Amino acid sequence: MRRFALCLLCVVLPGCAAAPTSGEQVLVAPGITLDLPSPADLGRSVEVVQLVTARHDGESFVFEGRLLIRPDRLVLVGSDSMGRRAMTVTWEAGKVEVERASWLPETLRPENILADIVLLYWPEAVVRNAIKGAELTQWAGNRRVGDAILVSWQGEPWSGGSRLRNIPWGYDLDIQSVTVGP
């Protein structure tokens, strides 16, 4: 299971890069970038616990995330299914700091994790302004970035189910969220 998780992370989030900054362009699919907005662009504060199921190549990996977003910062703590902390990402003052477990591959890209969070939860106008190389369309409970990325929500995204499907990179994220803070 651990080997699969490491392989999945390497495939889902390819390449190596330094920690991103707000405004940095993140490649989210071939030919499509997202200018990373700031945590303040979410327009609200939220704290959630999430159960994330990642699927790739017919296999699944489940992990827990705790996400805190305030106008001045975002903190994401991810744990594996055995409760071990895998990664902490802190996005504050235009910089991102990453603490990762020694068993996580260096190819895990925090900017792609942040980009997926933005695609899932930031307001339509912010995402529309940040996406380059594809058109964003949104309708009741769904968002689409060109023919590459599909997002859907069941109920309120912060207290229900969300799904992100990245077609060209071949992965799906199913996320169950429970709000635990403001």
Side-chain angles (χ1 to χ4, degrees):
M1 180 61 141
R2 184 172 153 200
R3 193 178 96 229
F4 165 72
L6 295 176
C7 291
L8 175 68
L9 292 172
C10 290
V11 172
V12 170
L13 305 169
C16 293
T21 58
S22 294
E24 179 175 325
Q25 284 195 340
V26 178
L27 185 66
V28 295
I32 303 172
T33 61
L34 179 117
D35 292 338
L36 203 58
S38 73
D41 291 328
L42 177 62
R44 66 180 282 190
S45 295
V46 67
E47 185 175 356
V48 295
V49 174
Q50 298 180 312
L51 183 64
V52 180
T53 304
R55 291 183 184 81
H56 182 266
D57 215 14
E59 297 195 62
S60 297
F61 175 65
V62 178
F63 59 96
E64 183 179 302
R66 187 159 187 122
L67 183 62
L68 169 71
I69 305 171
R70 302 277 185 267
D72 62 332
R73 69 190 296 200
L74 176 148
V75 178
L76 169 67
V77 178
S79 303
D80 70 9
S81 59
M82 296 186 320
R84 298 178 302 166
R85 184 177 291 201
M87 176 181 282
T88 300
V89 178
T90 304
W91 183 12
E92 187 172 32
K95 297 185 316 187
V96 176
E97 293 182 19
V98 180
E99 296 175 37
R100 62 177 85 224
S102 61
W103 46 267
L104 274 181
E106 286 296 319
T107 55
L108 181 62
R109 297 182 62 173
E111 64 267 32
N112 282 92
I113 295 169
L114 293 174
D116 283 348
I117 292 170
V118 167
L119 289 169
L120 279 159
Y121 301 114
W122 263 238
E124 177 183 2
V126 172
V127 176
R128 183 177 307 284
N129 194 38
I131 284 290
K132 307 294 186 251
E135 183 178 338
L136 175 78
T137 54
Q138 185 164 324
W139 63 100
N142 296 280
R143 177 178 284 174
R144 183 180 190 108
V145 178
D147 291 327
I149 299 170
L150 305 171
V151 174
S152 61
W153 305 278
Q154 264 78 58
E156 206 275 319
W158 296 110
S159 294
S162 303
R163 183 168 199 215
L164 183 141
R165 182 172 183 218
N166 188 308
I167 297 166
W169 288 347
Y171 71 91
D172 295 324
L173 302 173
D174 287 312
I175 305 162
Q176 294 299 314
S177 300
V178 176
T179 303
V180 294

